[in-house]
Amino acid sequence: MNIVIIEDEQLTADDLADNILSLDPGIQIIAKLNSVRDAVGWFKMNEHPDLIFSDIQLGDGLCFEIFKDRSITTPVIFCTAYDEYALSAFKANGIDYILKPFDNETIANALARYKELERRFAGNTDTFETILQLFENRKTQKKGSLLVYQKDKILPVRLDDIALFYIENEIIYILTFDQKSFTTNKTLDELEKMAGADFYRANRQCLVQRKAIKEAAQYFARSLSVTLTIPFKETIKVNKVKVTDFLNSAN
């Protein structure tokens, strides 16, 4: 396994490398990069590694600037002294987020997470890299699946099995027809583009699968309240004209 470390403090980078190699001497640390600028240049000129360990706050900016390059699909384990960047980290190829000061056990758990993800998808026709591309919405998977979070696991869920996406406390939730709940790091705008014509953007908080709409009732002059085929805790209010056009488009 080839690993790149992005860390602006040399002692921390060396300590991280020592911890990694003590856990698996077969690992190759192929580069230690100490700035956004150096990392952007390195990834343009070199073959990408299997895994990246990266600090978030570097001397010349946040590391997320590095991962705006869509060609970088390598999974990232973020190592930082700050916990306010967790959401951004999981939008930037992040598979784990560990707080400094880290120790041997913390690094071991992070490596184990990577290996578990790699093992889980090893038997699939899609490569591990393709799975990560899907997770960042960089490629449409032929089977129409979305990778989601459930506690500490990452699972594929078929779009056909999803009844709706909704926002609650700034977190995007997924509710399936069998009433399982997951979260995702994507925005509703990204999900709307990915989900296609079978999903309707009911309002700013909800994206609903056509098959999940049971009926609609008058709410106000230009609005309807939508009832779903599965239990849902909130009334979904929609534009009358738009939802009618959406439902009619199925015919």
Side-chain angles (χ1 to χ4, degrees):
M1 184 197 309
N2 292 329
I3 289 178
V4 165
I5 293 174
I6 305 173
E7 170 61 63
D8 59 351
E9 296 181 6
Q10 187 62 50
L11 288 176
T12 302
D14 291 343
D15 183 43
L16 177 57
D18 289 344
N19 272 280
I20 292 170
L21 293 175
S22 71
L23 291 164
D24 187 345
I27 288 175
Q28 298 291 319
I29 308 296
I30 59 174
K32 295 178 185 176
L33 309 170
N34 61 15
S35 68
V36 172
R37 181 178 178 180
D38 286 350
V40 169
W42 190 92
F43 283 108
K44 286 181 178 179
M45 298 298 295
N46 295 274
E47 184 176 349
H48 295 179
D50 300 303
L51 182 63
I52 299 168
F53 278 81
S54 181
D55 190 10
I56 291 181
Q57 290 191 337
L58 302 171
D60 59 345
L62 298 178
C63 73
F64 304 126
E65 295 298 316
I66 302 165
F67 305 110
K68 285 183 178 179
D69 182 346
R70 292 301 180 96
S71 70
I72 303 175
T73 59
T74 302
V76 185
I77 295 171
F78 290 93
C79 311
T80 179
Y82 308 92
D83 61 3
E84 67 264 34
Y85 296 109
L87 183 57
S88 296
F90 284 110
K91 289 182 178 180
N93 294 11
I95 61 169
D96 209 346
Y97 187 94
I98 57 180
L99 294 176
K100 297 177 180 177
F102 50 76
D103 55 25
N104 200 262
E105 182 180 0
T106 304
I107 301 302
N109 290 338
L111 287 172
R113 179 185 288 261
Y114 166 77
K115 291 176 180 178
E116 171 60 21
L117 285 171
E118 187 178 38
R119 182 197 63 77
R120 181 170 296 176
F121 294 110
N124 292 355
T125 55
D126 295 305
T127 65
F128 186 48
E129 288 77 13
T130 303
I131 296 295
L132 289 164
Q133 287 174 336
L134 170 64
F135 205 54
E136 285 300 305
N137 198 22
R138 295 178 182 166
K139 189 174 288 186
T140 302
Q141 192 182 40
K142 294 180 181 178
K143 295 181 180 179
S145 296
L146 174 70
L147 293 186
V148 301
Y149 293 109
Q150 187 181 55
K151 297 182 179 179
D152 62 343
K153 295 180 179 179
I154 300 175
L155 306 169
V157 174
R158 295 176 66 249
L159 287 172
D160 283 348
D161 295 332
I162 296 173
L164 78 155
F165 304 91
Y166 66 96
I167 300 176
E168 185 176 277
N169 298 324
E170 300 184 359
I171 298 173
I172 307 295
Y173 288 91
I174 297 164
L175 187 62
T176 63
F177 283 101
D178 57 1
Q179 299 182 52
K180 293 179 181 178
S181 180
F182 308 95
T183 60
T184 177
N185 62 352
K186 298 185 185 301
T187 66
L188 275 187
D189 289 339
E190 291 172 328
L191 291 166
E192 185 176 9
K193 292 176 182 178
M194 183 178 182
D198 286 334
F199 282 79
Y200 170 67
R201 183 67 176 267
N203 50 47
R204 294 177 65 183
Q205 287 76 39
C206 290
L207 180 63
V208 185
Q209 159 88 268
R210 186 192 305 274
K211 295 185 297 183
I213 299 176
K214 180 179 181 181
E215 59 186 15
Q218 192 73 33
Y219 189 72
F220 282 112
R222 299 182 62 186
S223 298
L224 297 173
S225 63
V226 169
T227 302
L228 302 182
T229 58
I230 61 171
F232 188 59
K233 55 189 173 182
E234 296 181 8
T235 299
I236 301 177
K237 297 181 286 292
V238 302
N239 179 280
K240 182 177 181 179
V241 175
K242 289 183 178 179
V243 75
T244 301
D245 290 345
F246 170 73
L247 293 174
N248 286 338
S249 69
N251 301 324

mmCIF file with all atom_site columns, all heavy atoms in Angstrom, residues 210-232:
data_model
loop_
_atom_site.group_PDB
_atom_site.id
_atom_site.type_symbol
_atom_site.label_atom_id
_atom_site.label_alt_id
_atom_site.label_comp_id
_atom_site.label_asym_id
_atom_site.label_entity_id
_atom_site.label_seq_id
_atom_site.pdbx_PDB_ins_code
_atom_site.Cartn_x
_atom_site.Cartn_y
_atom_site.Cartn_z
_atom_site.occupancy
_atom_site.B_iso_or_equiv
_atom_site.pdbx_formal_charge
_atom_site.auth_seq_id
_atom_site.auth_comp_id
_atom_site.auth_asym_id
_atom_site.auth_atom_id
_atom_site.pdbx_PDB_model_num
ATOM 1   N N   . ARG A 1 210 ? -41.260 9.290  -6.841  1.00 0.00 ? 210 ARG A N   1
ATOM 2   C CA  . ARG A 1 210 ? -42.615 9.262  -7.414  1.00 0.00 ? 210 ARG A CA  1
ATOM 3   C C   . ARG A 1 210 ? -43.471 8.167  -6.778  1.00 0.00 ? 210 ARG A C   1
ATOM 4   O O   . ARG A 1 210 ? -44.629 8.385  -6.422  1.00 0.00 ? 210 ARG A O   1
ATOM 5   C CB  . ARG A 1 210 ? -42.512 9.030  -8.927  1.00 0.00 ? 210 ARG A CB  1
ATOM 6   C CG  . ARG A 1 210 ? -43.837 9.114  -9.672  1.00 0.00 ? 210 ARG A CG  1
ATOM 7   C CD  . ARG A 1 210 ? -43.689 8.582  -11.100 1.00 0.00 ? 210 ARG A CD  1
ATOM 8   N NE  . ARG A 1 210 ? -42.629 9.265  -11.816 1.00 0.00 ? 210 ARG A NE  1
ATOM 9   C CZ  . ARG A 1 210 ? -42.796 10.409 -12.478 1.00 0.00 ? 210 ARG A CZ  1
ATOM 10  N NH1 . ARG A 1 210 ? -43.973 10.991 -12.485 1.00 0.00 ? 210 ARG A NH1 1
ATOM 11  N NH2 . ARG A 1 210 ? -41.776 10.952 -13.129 1.00 0.00 ? 210 ARG A NH2 1
ATOM 12  N N   . LYS A 1 211 ? -42.903 6.976  -6.623  1.00 0.00 ? 211 LYS A N   1
ATOM 13  C CA  . LYS A 1 211 ? -43.665 5.839  -6.078  1.00 0.00 ? 211 LYS A CA  1
ATOM 14  C C   . LYS A 1 211 ? -44.051 6.039  -4.616  1.00 0.00 ? 211 LYS A C   1
ATOM 15  O O   . LYS A 1 211 ? -44.899 5.313  -4.098  1.00 0.00 ? 211 LYS A O   1
ATOM 16  C CB  . LYS A 1 211 ? -42.849 4.550  -6.216  1.00 0.00 ? 211 LYS A CB  1
ATOM 17  C CG  . LYS A 1 211 ? -42.593 4.114  -7.647  1.00 0.00 ? 211 LYS A CG  1
ATOM 18  C CD  . LYS A 1 211 ? -41.892 2.766  -7.702  1.00 0.00 ? 211 LYS A CD  1
ATOM 19  C CE  . LYS A 1 211 ? -40.514 2.805  -7.060  1.00 0.00 ? 211 LYS A CE  1
ATOM 20  N NZ  . LYS A 1 211 ? -39.792 1.514  -7.175  1.00 0.00 ? 211 LYS A NZ  1
ATOM 21  N N   . ALA A 1 212 ? -43.407 7.011  -3.941  1.00 0.00 ? 212 ALA A N   1
ATOM 22  C CA  . ALA A 1 212 ? -43.702 7.236  -2.524  1.00 0.00 ? 212 ALA A CA  1
ATOM 23  C C   . ALA A 1 212 ? -44.904 8.148  -2.311  1.00 0.00 ? 212 ALA A C   1
ATOM 24  O O   . ALA A 1 212 ? -45.392 8.287  -1.195  1.00 0.00 ? 212 ALA A O   1
ATOM 25  C CB  . ALA A 1 212 ? -42.480 7.823  -1.824  1.00 0.00 ? 212 ALA A CB  1
ATOM 26  N N   . ILE A 1 213 ? -45.373 8.784  -3.383  1.00 0.00 ? 213 ILE A N   1
ATOM 27  C CA  . ILE A 1 213 ? -46.500 9.708  -3.262  1.00 0.00 ? 213 ILE A CA  1
ATOM 28  C C   . ILE A 1 213 ? -47.811 8.927  -3.369  1.00 0.00 ? 213 ILE A C   1
ATOM 29  O O   . ILE A 1 213 ? -48.124 8.345  -4.415  1.00 0.00 ? 213 ILE A O   1
ATOM 30  C CB  . ILE A 1 213 ? -46.437 10.810 -4.346  1.00 0.00 ? 213 ILE A CB  1
ATOM 31  C CG1 . ILE A 1 213 ? -45.147 11.624 -4.189  1.00 0.00 ? 213 ILE A CG1 1
ATOM 32  C CG2 . ILE A 1 213 ? -47.667 11.713 -4.260  1.00 0.00 ? 213 ILE A CG2 1
ATOM 33  C CD1 . ILE A 1 213 ? -44.949 12.664 -5.271  1.00 0.00 ? 213 ILE A CD1 1
ATOM 34  N N   . LYS A 1 214 ? -48.557 8.919  -2.283  1.00 0.00 ? 214 LYS A N   1
ATOM 35  C CA  . LYS A 1 214 ? -49.827 8.189  -2.247  1.00 0.00 ? 214 LYS A CA  1
ATOM 36  C C   . LYS A 1 214 ? -50.970 9.050  -2.753  1.00 0.00 ? 214 LYS A C   1
ATOM 37  O O   . LYS A 1 214 ? -51.770 8.637  -3.603  1.00 0.00 ? 214 LYS A O   1
ATOM 38  C CB  . LYS A 1 214 ? -50.111 7.721  -0.816  1.00 0.00 ? 214 LYS A CB  1
ATOM 39  C CG  . LYS A 1 214 ? -51.409 6.937  -0.664  1.00 0.00 ? 214 LYS A CG  1
ATOM 40  C CD  . LYS A 1 214 ? -51.583 6.494  0.793   1.00 0.00 ? 214 LYS A CD  1
ATOM 41  C CE  . LYS A 1 214 ? -52.868 5.698  0.962   1.00 0.00 ? 214 LYS A CE  1
ATOM 42  N NZ  . LYS A 1 214 ? -53.049 5.281  2.389   1.00 0.00 ? 214 LYS A NZ  1
ATOM 43  N N   . GLU A 1 215 ? -51.055 10.277 -2.227  1.00 0.00 ? 215 GLU A N   1
ATOM 44  C CA  . GLU A 1 215 ? -52.126 11.178 -2.630  1.00 0.00 ? 215 GLU A CA  1
ATOM 45  C C   . GLU A 1 215 ? -51.755 12.604 -2.243  1.00 0.00 ? 215 GLU A C   1
ATOM 46  O O   . GLU A 1 215 ? -50.813 12.827 -1.462  1.00 0.00 ? 215 GLU A O   1
ATOM 47  C CB  . GLU A 1 215 ? -53.456 10.799 -1.964  1.00 0.00 ? 215 GLU A CB  1
ATOM 48  C CG  . GLU A 1 215 ? -53.408 10.824 -0.448  1.00 0.00 ? 215 GLU A CG  1
ATOM 49  C CD  . GLU A 1 215 ? -54.697 10.316 0.182   1.00 0.00 ? 215 GLU A CD  1
ATOM 50  O OE1 . GLU A 1 215 ? -55.494 9.699  -0.537  1.00 0.00 ? 215 GLU A OE1 1
ATOM 51  O OE2 . GLU A 1 215 ? -54.891 10.544 1.393   1.00 0.00 ? 215 GLU A OE2 1
ATOM 52  N N   . ALA A 1 216 ? -52.491 13.546 -2.783  1.00 0.00 ? 216 ALA A N   1
ATOM 53  C CA  . ALA A 1 216 ? -52.268 14.958 -2.455  1.00 0.00 ? 216 ALA A CA  1
ATOM 54  C C   . ALA A 1 216 ? -53.613 15.602 -2.163  1.00 0.00 ? 216 ALA A C   1
ATOM 55  O O   . ALA A 1 216 ? -54.616 15.317 -2.821  1.00 0.00 ? 216 ALA A O   1
ATOM 56  C CB  . ALA A 1 216 ? -51.570 15.664 -3.600  1.00 0.00 ? 216 ALA A CB  1
ATOM 57  N N   . ALA A 1 217 ? -53.641 16.468 -1.163  1.00 0.00 ? 217 ALA A N   1
ATOM 58  C CA  . ALA A 1 217 ? -54.875 17.145 -0.769  1.00 0.00 ? 217 ALA A CA  1
ATOM 59  C C   . ALA A 1 217 ? -54.657 18.656 -0.792  1.00 0.00 ? 217 ALA A C   1
ATOM 60  O O   . ALA A 1 217 ? -53.536 19.138 -0.614  1.00 0.00 ? 217 ALA A O   1
ATOM 61  C CB  . ALA A 1 217 ? -55.301 16.693 0.625   1.00 0.00 ? 217 ALA A CB  1
ATOM 62  N N   . GLN A 1 218 ? -55.760 19.389 -1.009  1.00 0.00 ? 218 GLN A N   1
ATOM 63  C CA  . GLN A 1 218 ? -55.671 20.846 -1.042  1.00 0.00 ? 218 GLN A CA  1
ATOM 64  C C   . GLN A 1 218 ? -55.150 21.377 0.288   1.00 0.00 ? 218 GLN A C   1
ATOM 65  O O   . GLN A 1 218 ? -55.600 20.962 1.361   1.00 0.00 ? 218 GLN A O   1
ATOM 66  C CB  . GLN A 1 218 ? -57.051 21.445 -1.320  1.00 0.00 ? 218 GLN A CB  1
ATOM 67  C CG  . GLN A 1 218 ? -57.041 22.918 -1.647  1.00 0.00 ? 218 GLN A CG  1
ATOM 68  C CD  . GLN A 1 218 ? -56.496 23.208 -3.037  1.00 0.00 ? 218 GLN A CD  1
ATOM 69  O OE1 . GLN A 1 218 ? -56.685 22.403 -3.947  1.00 0.00 ? 218 GLN A OE1 1
ATOM 70  N NE2 . GLN A 1 218 ? -55.811 24.327 -3.200  1.00 0.00 ? 218 GLN A NE2 1
ATOM 71  N N   . TYR A 1 219 ? -54.179 22.290 0.207   1.00 0.00 ? 219 TYR A N   1
ATOM 72  C CA  . TYR A 1 219 ? -53.616 22.874 1.429   1.00 0.00 ? 219 TYR A CA  1
ATOM 73  C C   . TYR A 1 219 ? -53.944 24.362 1.481   1.00 0.00 ? 219 TYR A C   1
ATOM 74  O O   . TYR A 1 219 ? -54.589 24.831 2.371   1.00 0.00 ? 219 TYR A O   1
ATOM 75  C CB  . TYR A 1 219 ? -52.108 22.644 1.470   1.00 0.00 ? 219 TYR A CB  1
ATOM 76  C CG  . TYR A 1 219 ? -51.461 23.013 2.782   1.00 0.00 ? 219 TYR A CG  1
ATOM 77  C CD1 . TYR A 1 219 ? -51.658 22.226 3.915   1.00 0.00 ? 219 TYR A CD1 1
ATOM 78  C CD2 . TYR A 1 219 ? -50.674 24.156 2.894   1.00 0.00 ? 219 TYR A CD2 1
ATOM 79  C CE1 . TYR A 1 219 ? -51.078 22.559 5.123   1.00 0.00 ? 219 TYR A CE1 1
ATOM 80  C CE2 . TYR A 1 219 ? -50.088 24.495 4.099   1.00 0.00 ? 219 TYR A CE2 1
ATOM 81  C CZ  . TYR A 1 219 ? -50.286 23.704 5.210   1.00 0.00 ? 219 TYR A CZ  1
ATOM 82  O OH  . TYR A 1 219 ? -49.715 24.041 6.406   1.00 0.00 ? 219 TYR A OH  1
ATOM 83  N N   . PHE A 1 220 ? -53.492 25.112 0.521   1.00 0.00 ? 220 PHE A N   1
ATOM 84  C CA  . PHE A 1 220 ? -53.920 26.483 0.296   1.00 0.00 ? 220 PHE A CA  1
ATOM 85  C C   . PHE A 1 220 ? -54.191 26.623 -1.188  1.00 0.00 ? 220 PHE A C   1
ATOM 86  O O   . PHE A 1 220 ? -54.093 25.643 -1.948  1.00 0.00 ? 220 PHE A O   1
ATOM 87  C CB  . PHE A 1 220 ? -52.858 27.480 0.766   1.00 0.00 ? 220 PHE A CB  1
ATOM 88  C CG  . PHE A 1 220 ? -52.849 27.666 2.268   1.00 0.00 ? 220 PHE A CG  1
ATOM 89  C CD1 . PHE A 1 220 ? -51.777 27.230 3.032   1.00 0.00 ? 220 PHE A CD1 1
ATOM 90  C CD2 . PHE A 1 220 ? -53.913 28.261 2.914   1.00 0.00 ? 220 PHE A CD2 1
ATOM 91  C CE1 . PHE A 1 220 ? -51.762 27.392 4.403   1.00 0.00 ? 220 PHE A CE1 1
ATOM 92  C CE2 . PHE A 1 220 ? -53.916 28.421 4.293   1.00 0.00 ? 220 PHE A CE2 1
ATOM 93  C CZ  . PHE A 1 220 ? -52.831 27.992 5.042   1.00 0.00 ? 220 PHE A CZ  1
ATOM 94  N N   . ALA A 1 221 ? -54.498 27.824 -1.637  1.00 0.00 ? 221 ALA A N   1
ATOM 95  C CA  . ALA A 1 221 ? -54.912 28.038 -3.017  1.00 0.00 ? 221 ALA A CA  1
ATOM 96  C C   . ALA A 1 221 ? -53.949 27.431 -4.033  1.00 0.00 ? 221 ALA A C   1
ATOM 97  O O   . ALA A 1 221 ? -54.358 26.775 -4.979  1.00 0.00 ? 221 ALA A O   1
ATOM 98  C CB  . ALA A 1 221 ? -55.102 29.525 -3.281  1.00 0.00 ? 221 ALA A CB  1
ATOM 99  N N   . ARG A 1 222 ? -52.650 27.654 -3.826  1.00 0.00 ? 222 ARG A N   1
ATOM 100 C CA  . ARG A 1 222 ? -51.673 27.179 -4.800  1.00 0.00 ? 222 ARG A CA  1
ATOM 101 C C   . ARG A 1 222 ? -50.806 26.053 -4.250  1.00 0.00 ? 222 ARG A C   1
ATOM 102 O O   . ARG A 1 222 ? -49.772 25.722 -4.812  1.00 0.00 ? 222 ARG A O   1
ATOM 103 C CB  . ARG A 1 222 ? -50.787 28.346 -5.255  1.00 0.00 ? 222 ARG A CB  1
ATOM 104 C CG  . ARG A 1 222 ? -51.567 29.461 -5.934  1.00 0.00 ? 222 ARG A CG  1
ATOM 105 C CD  . ARG A 1 222 ? -50.646 30.560 -6.418  1.00 0.00 ? 222 ARG A CD  1
ATOM 106 N NE  . ARG A 1 222 ? -49.702 30.062 -7.411  1.00 0.00 ? 222 ARG A NE  1
ATOM 107 C CZ  . ARG A 1 222 ? -48.709 30.783 -7.911  1.00 0.00 ? 222 ARG A CZ  1
ATOM 108 N NH1 . ARG A 1 222 ? -48.518 32.023 -7.481  1.00 0.00 ? 222 ARG A NH1 1
ATOM 109 N NH2 . ARG A 1 222 ? -47.888 30.267 -8.808  1.00 0.00 ? 222 ARG A NH2 1
ATOM 110 N N   . SER A 1 223 ? -51.222 25.466 -3.135  1.00 0.00 ? 223 SER A N   1
ATOM 111 C CA  . SER A 1 223 ? -50.397 24.432 -2.507  1.00 0.00 ? 223 SER A CA  1
ATOM 112 C C   . SER A 1 223 ? -51.204 23.169 -2.240  1.00 0.00 ? 223 SER A C   1
ATOM 113 O O   . SER A 1 223 ? -52.428 23.199 -2.098  1.00 0.00 ? 223 SER A O   1
ATOM 114 C CB  . SER A 1 223 ? -49.817 24.939 -1.184  1.00 0.00 ? 223 SER A CB  1
ATOM 115 O OG  . SER A 1 223 ? -48.971 26.045 -1.402  1.00 0.00 ? 223 SER A OG  1
ATOM 116 N N   . LEU A 1 224 ? -50.469 22.056 -2.158  1.00 0.00 ? 224 LEU A N   1
ATOM 117 C CA  . LEU A 1 224 ? -51.044 20.775 -1.783  1.00 0.00 ? 224 LEU A CA  1
ATOM 118 C C   . LEU A 1 224 ? -50.221 20.178 -0.660  1.00 0.00 ? 224 LEU A C   1
ATOM 119 O O   . LEU A 1 224 ? -49.020 20.464 -0.531  1.00 0.00 ? 224 LEU A O   1
ATOM 120 C CB  . LEU A 1 224 ? -51.029 19.812 -2.976  1.00 0.00 ? 224 LEU A CB  1
ATOM 121 C CG  . LEU A 1 224 ? -51.851 20.167 -4.213  1.00 0.00 ? 224 LEU A CG  1
ATOM 122 C CD1 . LEU A 1 224 ? -51.553 19.170 -5.329  1.00 0.00 ? 224 LEU A CD1 1
ATOM 123 C CD2 . LEU A 1 224 ? -53.332 20.193 -3.899  1.00 0.00 ? 224 LEU A CD2 1
ATOM 124 N N   . SER A 1 225 ? -50.850 19.349 0.157   1.00 0.00 ? 225 SER A N   1
ATOM 125 C CA  . SER A 1 225 ? -50.106 18.560 1.130   1.00 0.00 ? 225 SER A CA  1
ATOM 126 C C   . SER A 1 225 ? -50.062 17.120 0.604   1.00 0.00 ? 225 SER A C   1
ATOM 127 O O   . SER A 1 225 ? -51.085 16.574 0.201   1.00 0.00 ? 225 SER A O   1
ATOM 128 C CB  . SER A 1 225 ? -50.765 18.604 2.510   1.00 0.00 ? 225 SER A CB  1
ATOM 129 O OG  . SER A 1 225 ? -52.050 18.023 2.473   1.00 0.00 ? 225 SER A OG  1
ATOM 130 N N   . VAL A 1 226 ? -48.864 16.560 0.593   1.00 0.00 ? 226 VAL A N   1
ATOM 131 C CA  . VAL A 1 226 ? -48.664 15.243 0.004   1.00 0.00 ? 226 VAL A CA  1
ATOM 132 C C   . VAL A 1 226 ? -48.615 14.179 1.098   1.00 0.00 ? 226 VAL A C   1
ATOM 133 O O   . VAL A 1 226 ? -47.933 14.345 2.113   1.00 0.00 ? 226 VAL A O   1
ATOM 134 C CB  . VAL A 1 226 ? -47.357 15.215 -0.815  1.00 0.00 ? 226 VAL A CB  1
ATOM 135 C CG1 . VAL A 1 226 ? -46.999 13.789 -1.220  1.00 0.00 ? 226 VAL A CG1 1
ATOM 136 C CG2 . VAL A 1 226 ? -47.499 16.086 -2.055  1.00 0.00 ? 226 VAL A CG2 1
ATOM 137 N N   . THR A 1 227 ? -49.360 13.101 0.899   1.00 0.00 ? 227 THR A N   1
ATOM 138 C CA  . THR A 1 227 ? -49.317 11.936 1.784   1.00 0.00 ? 227 THR A CA  1
ATOM 139 C C   . THR A 1 227 ? -48.465 10.864 1.123   1.00 0.00 ? 227 THR A C   1
ATOM 140 O O   . THR A 1 227 ? -48.635 10.569 -0.063  1.00 0.00 ? 227 THR A O   1
ATOM 141 C CB  . THR A 1 227 ? -50.730 11.390 2.048   1.00 0.00 ? 227 THR A CB  1
ATOM 142 O OG1 . THR A 1 227 ? -51.527 12.417 2.630   1.00 0.00 ? 227 THR A OG1 1
ATOM 143 C CG2 . THR A 1 227 ? -50.670 10.188 2.987   1.00 0.00 ? 227 THR A CG2 1
ATOM 144 N N   . LEU A 1 228 ? -47.568 10.270 1.909   1.00 0.00 ? 228 LEU A N   1
ATOM 145 C CA  . LEU A 1 228 ? -46.677 9.255  1.371   1.00 0.00 ? 228 LEU A CA  1
ATOM 146 C C   . LEU A 1 228 ? -47.225 7.848  1.607   1.00 0.00 ? 228 LEU A C   1
ATOM 147 O O   . LEU A 1 228 ? -48.110 7.648  2.445   1.00 0.00 ? 228 LEU A O   1
ATOM 148 C CB  . LEU A 1 228 ? -45.298 9.385  2.023   1.00 0.00 ? 228 LEU A CB  1
ATOM 149 C CG  . LEU A 1 228 ? -44.592 10.738 1.866   1.00 0.00 ? 228 LEU A CG  1
ATOM 150 C CD1 . LEU A 1 228 ? -43.214 10.691 2.528   1.00 0.00 ? 228 LEU A CD1 1
ATOM 151 C CD2 . LEU A 1 228 ? -44.462 11.127 0.400   1.00 0.00 ? 228 LEU A CD2 1
ATOM 152 N N   . THR A 1 229 ? -46.658 6.904  0.903   1.00 0.00 ? 229 THR A N   1
ATOM 153 C CA  . THR A 1 229 ? -47.055 5.506  1.069   1.00 0.00 ? 229 THR A CA  1
ATOM 154 C C   . THR A 1 229 ? -46.423 4.883  2.312   1.00 0.00 ? 229 THR A C   1
ATOM 155 O O   . THR A 1 229 ? -46.752 3.752  2.679   1.00 0.00 ? 229 THR A O   1
ATOM 156 C CB  . THR A 1 229 ? -46.646 4.675  -0.154  1.00 0.00 ? 229 THR A CB  1
ATOM 157 O OG1 . THR A 1 229 ? -45.220 4.784  -0.326  1.00 0.00 ? 229 THR A OG1 1
ATOM 158 C CG2 . THR A 1 229 ? -47.353 5.178  -1.410  1.00 0.00 ? 229 THR A CG2 1
ATOM 159 N N   . ILE A 1 230 ? -45.509 5.605  2.945   1.00 0.00 ? 230 ILE A N   1
ATOM 160 C CA  . ILE A 1 230 ? -44.870 5.146  4.179   1.00 0.00 ? 230 ILE A CA  1
ATOM 161 C C   . ILE A 1 230 ? -45.059 6.208  5.251   1.00 0.00 ? 230 ILE A C   1
ATOM 162 O O   . ILE A 1 230 ? -45.288 7.374  4.928   1.00 0.00 ? 230 ILE A O   1
ATOM 163 C CB  . ILE A 1 230 ? -43.359 4.867  3.973   1.00 0.00 ? 230 ILE A CB  1
ATOM 164 C CG1 . ILE A 1 230 ? -42.653 6.159  3.544   1.00 0.00 ? 230 ILE A CG1 1
ATOM 165 C CG2 . ILE A 1 230 ? -43.142 3.764  2.954   1.00 0.00 ? 230 ILE A CG2 1
ATOM 166 C CD1 . ILE A 1 230 ? -41.144 6.046  3.516   1.00 0.00 ? 230 ILE A CD1 1
ATOM 167 N N   . PRO A 1 231 ? -44.985 5.842  6.528   1.00 0.00 ? 231 PRO A N   1
ATOM 168 C CA  . PRO A 1 231 ? -45.134 6.837  7.588   1.00 0.00 ? 231 PRO A CA  1
ATOM 169 C C   . PRO A 1 231 ? -44.012 7.876  7.529   1.00 0.00 ? 231 PRO A C   1
ATOM 170 O O   . PRO A 1 231 ? -42.845 7.537  7.347   1.00 0.00 ? 231 PRO A O   1
ATOM 171 C CB  . PRO A 1 231 ? -45.038 6.000  8.869   1.00 0.00 ? 231 PRO A CB  1
ATOM 172 C CG  . PRO A 1 231 ? -45.354 4.604  8.452   1.00 0.00 ? 231 PRO A CG  1
ATOM 173 C CD  . PRO A 1 231 ? -44.849 4.468  7.060   1.00 0.00 ? 231 PRO A CD  1
ATOM 174 N N   . PHE A 1 232 ? -44.398 9.146  7.682   1.00 0.00 ? 232 PHE A N   1
ATOM 175 C CA  . PHE A 1 232 ? -43.421 10.233 7.746   1.00 0.00 ? 232 PHE A CA  1
ATOM 176 C C   . PHE A 1 232 ? -43.953 11.268 8.715   1.00 0.00 ? 232 PHE A C   1
ATOM 177 O O   . PHE A 1 232 ? -45.141 11.601 8.698   1.00 0.00 ? 232 PHE A O   1
ATOM 178 C CB  . PHE A 1 232 ? -43.172 10.843 6.368   1.00 0.00 ? 232 PHE A CB  1
ATOM 179 C CG  . PHE A 1 232 ? -42.041 11.832 6.349   1.00 0.00 ? 232 PHE A CG  1
ATOM 180 C CD1 . PHE A 1 232 ? -40.762 11.450 6.730   1.00 0.00 ? 232 PHE A CD1 1
ATOM 181 C CD2 . PHE A 1 232 ? -42.255 13.141 5.957   1.00 0.00 ? 232 PHE A CD2 1
ATOM 182 C CE1 . PHE A 1 232 ? -39.714 12.361 6.711   1.00 0.00 ? 232 PHE A CE1 1
ATOM 183 C CE2 . PHE A 1 232 ? -41.209 14.059 5.935   1.00 0.00 ? 232 PHE A CE2 1
ATOM 184 C CZ  . PHE A 1 232 ? -39.936 13.662 6.317   1.00 0.00 ? 232 PHE A CZ  1
#
